Amino acid sequence: MKAYLPCLAIAAAFAVLTPAIAQDNPSQQPSSQQEDGRPQPPAQLQPVEPPTRIETQDFKQWVGLSVESLDGQTVGKVANVLPATGSVLEEVHADIGGFFGIGETRVKLMPAQLTKQDDKVVVSLTKEEILKLPKI
């Protein structure tokens, strides 16, 4: 009887594993070769979109506008705008924090972070994130 136990255990294991092995159908798995035997070309990569560029002739008028965070809090004012070439905005400097101009900190904001809405510039960051931006 003891000689039959190992055989019985192997047979039971084989019975459990056989359906799992049978489910792997190689004809349904994707092949790395085309029907004529040539390797498939790599999948097409999606082009990476360039960063958002604000193109406007009047961004010089942004100087002095309020800067508002994503959570709706006014954090400062636009201090300077730097054009890259022609009518493309490169970066915006904002004075944040402080009280009546005392204790303000100047930070650099990128055009991809900004949206102009009427008489304010909205930054796609929270107030805490804006306060943590590197100073210039």
Side-chain angles (χ1 to χ4, degrees), residues 38-60:
R38 292 182 297 154
Q40 285 186 340
Q44 294 292 327
L45 299 177
Q46 296 296 327
V48 176
E49 294 202 16
T52 304
R53 302 188 89 179
I54 298 173
E55 297 187 32
T56 178
Q57 294 297 330
D58 63 349
F59 57 75
K60 293 272 186 195

Side-chain angles (χ1 to χ4, degrees), residues 14-32:
F14 185 77
V16 170
L17 293 177
T18 303
I21 294 170
Q23 288 179 358
D24 290 337
N25 187 351
S27 65
Q28 293 178 355
Q29 292 180 351
S31 173
S32 63

Side-chain angles (χ1 to χ4, degrees), residues 49-57 59 62 82-92 110-115:
E49 294 202 16
T52 304
R53 302 188 89 179
I54 298 173
E55 297 187 32
T56 178
Q57 294 297 330
F59 57 75
W62 288 22
L82 299 175
T85 56
S87 65
V88 177
L89 183 60
E90 180 70 24
E91 63 186 57
V92 173
M110 302 308 292
Q113 300 171 316
L114 306 174
T115 305

